[in-house]
Amino acid sequence: MSLVQFDEMKQTVKQAFLNAGLAESQADICAQIHCESSCDGVFSHGLNRVARFVDYVKKGWVNIDAEPESVKSFGSIEIYDGQRGIGITNALFAVDRAMALASEHGVGIVGLRNTTHWMRGGTYGWKAVEKGYAAICWTNTESCMPAWGAKDTRVGNNPFVMAVPMQAGALVLDMAMSQYSYGKLQVTRLKGEKLPYPGGFDKDGNLTDVPGPIEESMRILPTGYWKGSGLAIMLDAMAAFLTAGSPTNEIDKIQQGSCTGASQVFMVFNPQHFGGKAFSEAMATSVAEYVNASTPAEGTREVRYPGETTQRNRVNFRANGIPVDDGVWAEIQALAKISAG
């Protein structure tokens, strides 16, 4: 494990994306988002996803020349076809449109169908709260999790994001419908560690906290057991419903494992149309403070609200460097040198 400064990381990732064929602006935006994710401590969907994204581009699973195309617009709701373009730039476009609609109507809802992997879902919640909006966003995915009681994968882990601005910082929940995302399993395995709690079953059906056997079996555990399974199924159906797009069973027919063809929803709320900015931020701050004041359980030093760890990591890693797995970093450096000379 090494420490890499943000600017060095971004320049290296950007060059890797340029070498993959992205335009200057695309490479810059995507490198910024990947590096922000790692800087926030979400290594699994930051630096660790760079090589995978480059591979998807090379295989033609991501159309780097595509732009979102308007399908339908009525009032505060807009629907776009992502045309299998770059997931990050598509999603940033969608959350920006949702904010613009929320400025006018109080609520903005943008459905984005036929897009590709948006990387860290929390990115789009953070982009909203940084401009003073609240947000609810989610995506469906290819099947990567068994429904509760099943062995084979028929359900996506369908990440879900909620974000509310505070007076300083924000409440931001970014979670998959699996107990641990596959990215978290990878990060834990690369560290040679076990999961804090069991995260799935091995190929023989034994519950385990060792990430490797779960990755092999693909029997990850739904969050909250049957409740997480049910919520994942409904998030999939609602994403397809609100975008007239593909549910998981159709995404599986496109390209197994790539998330190509996903359906995403971006709901943004303008506090000025509800309780007002001052009330909303003060309320959210009181929620965070009330949670922080909890009596820690045995073996726990403090109780944190959603998004608090992210903000601490951001400050720490910006100042002191971002931790990177040496093997992952070497792979990205090699991608950055392919045609850079």
Side-chain angles (χ1 to χ4, degrees):
M1 190 71 71
S2 302
L3 295 177
V4 178
Q5 292 298 317
F6 187 96
D7 290 344
E8 178 188 355
M9 178 180 288
K10 179 181 175 180
Q11 198 56 43
T12 304
V13 173
K14 180 177 178 179
Q15 187 60 56
F17 290 159
L18 288 170
N19 290 347
L22 273 67
E24 175 77 20
S25 61
Q26 293 173 325
D28 190 75
I29 291 168
C30 291
Q32 180 72 24
I33 297 302
H34 277 272
C35 294
E36 284 179 357
S37 296
S38 277
C39 191
D40 285 356
V42 190
F43 313 112
S44 59
H45 290 68
L47 201 66
N48 292 20
R49 291 281 171 128
V50 169
R52 187 184 303 187
F53 172 72
V54 169
D55 181 56
Y56 288 177
V57 170
K58 290 180 177 178
K59 288 177 176 176
W61 296 352
V62 177
N63 181 0
I64 60 176
D65 297 318
E67 298 286 345
E69 182 177 87
S70 177
V71 175
K72 189 177 293 187
S73 176
F74 46 101
S76 61
I77 301 174
E78 294 181 352
I79 299 174
Y80 291 85
D81 188 314
Q83 302 194 86
R84 302 187 188 175
I86 298 171
I88 286 175
T89 55
N90 276 354
L92 288 172
F93 168 84
V95 77
D96 282 345
R97 283 300 308 148
M99 285 190 282
L101 291 167
S103 294
E104 181 179 357
H105 301 284
V107 177
I109 302 175
V110 172
L112 180 64
R113 71 189 190 202
N114 195 31
T115 188
T116 60
H117 202 308
W118 67 359
M119 300 304 159
R120 177 179 60 149
T123 291
Y124 314 105
W126 282 106
K127 295 304 177 187
V129 294
E130 285 165 5
K131 294 188 177 180
Y133 298 89
I136 300 173
C137 313
W138 74 94
T139 181
N140 63 7
T141 72
E142 79 281 359
S143 62
C144 57
M145 178 171 72
W148 183 250
K151 280 187 176 181
D152 57 333
T153 57
R154 298 289 180 101
V155 179
N157 62 2
N158 302 341
F160 181 72
V161 178
M162 297 183 74
V164 180
M166 299 194 306
Q167 291 165 332
L171 296 168
V172 180
L173 174 69
D174 177 11
M175 59 177 285
M177 291 299 112
S178 53
Q179 186 63 41
Y180 300 99
S181 69
Y182 280 100
K184 178 65 174 179
L185 295 180
Q186 179 200 34
V187 168
T188 306
R189 172 175 49 80
L190 289 173
K191 290 181 179 178
E193 297 177 354
K194 291 184 177 182
L195 300 164
Y197 302 95
F201 302 90
D202 63 21
K203 60 183 176 61
D204 298 316
N206 301 306
L207 196 62
T208 180
D209 57 3
V210 181
I214 303 171
E215 292 174 295
E216 180 183 359
S217 72
M218 292 191 71
R219 294 181 63 182
I220 53 177
L221 197 63
T223 299
Y225 305 113
W226 51 88
K227 294 183 179 181
S229 175
L231 186 53
I233 292 166
M234 294 309 299
L235 285 171
D236 174 38
M238 284 299 294
F241 173 83
L242 291 170
T243 62
S246 296
T248 289
N249 61 79
E250 292 296 329
I251 296 172
D252 283 350
K253 297 174 185 177
I254 299 169
Q255 182 58 59
Q256 183 70 31
S258 71
C259 213
T260 298
S263 303
Q264 299 173 350
V265 179
F266 302 80
M267 304 172 65
V268 172
F269 307 88
N270 184 349
Q272 301 290 7
H273 291 254
F274 296 92
K277 182 177 184 291
F279 165 81
S280 299
E281 292 185 354
M283 175 279 299
T285 300
S286 75
V287 170
E289 291 175 345
Y290 197 59
V291 170
N292 283 156
S294 301
T295 302
E298 296 80 3
T300 304
R301 290 181 296 176
E302 59 180 342
V303 181
R304 301 180 184 180
Y305 59 82
E308 185 172 2
T309 300
T310 296
Q311 292 168 91
R312 292 186 184 185
N313 285 338
R314 188 178 298 171
V315 172
N316 177 21
F317 296 156
R318 272 284 190 175
N320 301 308
I322 304 168
V324 300
D325 177 86
D326 291 328
V328 171
W329 184 232
E331 184 178 27
I332 295 168
Q333 287 177 310
L335 289 171
K337 293 176 181 176
I338 288 174
S339 61

